Amino acid sequence: MILLDGKATAAAIKKEIAARVEEMTARGERRPHLTAILVGEDGASKTYVANKEKSCGEVGFDSTVLRLPESTTEEELLGEINRLNRDDSVDGFIIQLPLPKHIDEQKVLNAVDPSKDVDGFHPVNVGKLMLGEPTFISATPYGIMALLEHYNIDTKGKHCVVLGRSNIVGRPIANLLSQKGNPGDCTVTICHSRTPDISKYTLEADIIIAAIGKPEFLKAEMVKEGAVVIDVGITRVPADTPKGYRIAGDVDFAEVAPKCSYITPVPGGVGPMTIISLMRNTFLARSLRTK
Ligand code: GUN
């Protein structure tokens, strides 16, 4: 079993980006600038945004966090988005999800200028991804593709089973892995909450991408010997720790790992790859604006 070390892979990419930012500033250009909008007080979202801010600092980007109260109206949020769309000092921005219930998430995402949509959530960018055109690939699928590429995992003709059909992970990764190329050329099955007998599919899978948000859902008896397992889950489960919780993946790692050819740990697998992919997209947004 080989551990897919997202932390080390992301660190290597981080170095490359930092070097390119140095070249940029040496040419007299300004640094890439990422802004994150955080609405409300969700603990996990606060942590993610703090991690993104930290990562910006490490690669030499400017970063701003716009913290808005839970009571922010949809109209106010749309106003902030329009302001960022027009702000030439901002190359890319993200709206941390989930948003409070009274705000229509898709309406908000649709308001982002596609050229600043470094999360790749705008319909124009989702459409381009579907067509295999160059675009901002949303961070988690992009990170998974980069990890598979970094470890030279042969995906051609393999059966990949994706657990979860979210717009953020399940559907885009299923699409990317079905496209021509390496990583790619997979036969893809998407399973979700309404799929009866999920084991029937996972037992046939050469590659399993677990993105359902159910802690330790994937058990050893659901996995074929030699499978590649990518764990996207990051759920806080109550535990006797100083913070009162621990982070659990969607995979029962202790059980499943011995059967795998490759597996991602949680933490230290997909998580760091997601953040570095956002940095890649922000660098790309900056580069495209300079042209
Ligand atoms: N919430 C969970 N994942 C993401 C992500 O990749 N981007 C944003 N903006 N919010 C998220």
Side-chain angles (χ1 to χ4, degrees):
M1 182 272 291
I2 295 172
L3 210 57
L4 296 169
D5 188 341
K7 201 173 167 187
T9 309
I13 299 171
K14 196 177 276 182
K15 264 191 169 170
E16 280 172 35
I17 298 175
R20 292 179 67 186
V21 172
E22 284 312 305
E23 289 166 18
M24 214 172 225
T25 53
R27 285 196 300 269
E29 295 170 21
R30 70 165 174 76
R31 299 167 184 281
H33 180 190
L34 175 70
T35 293
I37 304 180
L38 177 61
V39 187
E41 300 293 329
D42 180 72
S45 290
K46 280 184 180 173
T47 305
Y48 297 148
V49 168
N51 288 339
K52 290 169 187 179
E53 215 182 352
K54 180 166 168 260
S55 198
C56 279
E58 288 165 356
V59 293
F61 293 178
D62 290 328
S63 70
T64 309
V65 180
L66 195 57
R67 292 182 176 82
L68 302 174
E70 181 85 20
S71 59
T72 304
T73 64
E74 189 176 282
E75 208 180 343
E76 285 165 341
L77 182 55
L78 290 170
E80 291 296 342
I81 290 169
N82 283 328
R83 190 181 58 73
L84 289 169
N85 282 342
R86 290 192 303 265
D87 184 342
D88 269 338
S89 75
V90 172
D91 300 301
F93 65 98
I94 64 158
I95 300 119
Q96 187 63 34
L97 305 178
L99 287 170
K101 297 256 176 301
H102 62 275
I103 298 177
D104 180 340
E105 215 158 80
Q106 197 57 51
K107 192 170 171 187
V108 163
L109 298 177
N110 291 359
V112 177
D113 180 333
S115 75
K116 293 192 176 188
D117 171 37
V118 286
D119 252 339
F121 291 165
H122 189 281
V124 164
N125 290 324
V126 175
K128 285 185 177 174
L129 179 138
M130 286 277 299
L131 296 169
E133 283 187 22
T135 185
F136 299 115
I137 301 171
S138 52
T140 302
Y142 193 10
I144 295 170
M145 295 295 275
L147 200 55
L148 292 170
E149 189 177 9
H150 183 83
Y151 280 87
N152 260 316
I153 294 174
D154 184 19
T155 60
K156 191 197 283 176
K158 298 288 161 58
H159 184 195
C160 174
V161 172
V162 177
L163 304 180
R165 55 179 160 181
S166 71
N167 289 339
I168 295 182
V169 185
R171 283 198 272 211
I173 192 65
N175 189 280
L176 288 167
L177 283 170
S178 72
Q179 289 183 21
K180 286 182 181 169
N182 196 30
D185 286 324
C186 285
T187 305
V188 179
T189 303
I190 302 181
C191 297
H192 48 75
S193 54
R194 299 303 166 109
T195 307
D197 193 8
I198 285 184
S199 291
K200 187 172 94 186
Y201 303 95
T202 54
L203 276 169
E204 297 245 307
D206 304 304
I207 302 167
I208 300 173
I209 315 256
I212 37 171
K214 288 190 185 164
E216 282 139 29
F217 173 84
L218 192 75
K219 303 289 183 191
E221 72 261 19
M222 300 168 75
V223 178
K224 183 171 80 172
E225 199 71 44
V228 176
V229 173
I230 308 285
D231 189 350
V232 183
I234 24 169
T235 309
R236 293 180 172 193
V237 293
D240 193 11
T241 63
K243 286 181 173 167
Y245 64 84
R246 67 183 174 88
I247 300 294
D250 287 352
V251 178
D252 190 329
F253 185 89
E255 275 193 14
V256 172
K259 292 184 89 172
C260 295
S261 55
Y262 297 89
I263 185 168
T264 58
V266 174
V270 173
M273 293 304 295
T274 294
I275 295 193
I276 204 63
S277 301
L278 177 64
M279 301 301 119
R280 279 179 134 173
N281 280 343
T282 305
F283 187 89
L284 175 66
R286 174 82 212 110
S287 307
L288 293 173
R289 296 181 82 72
T290 317
K291 278 182 185 155

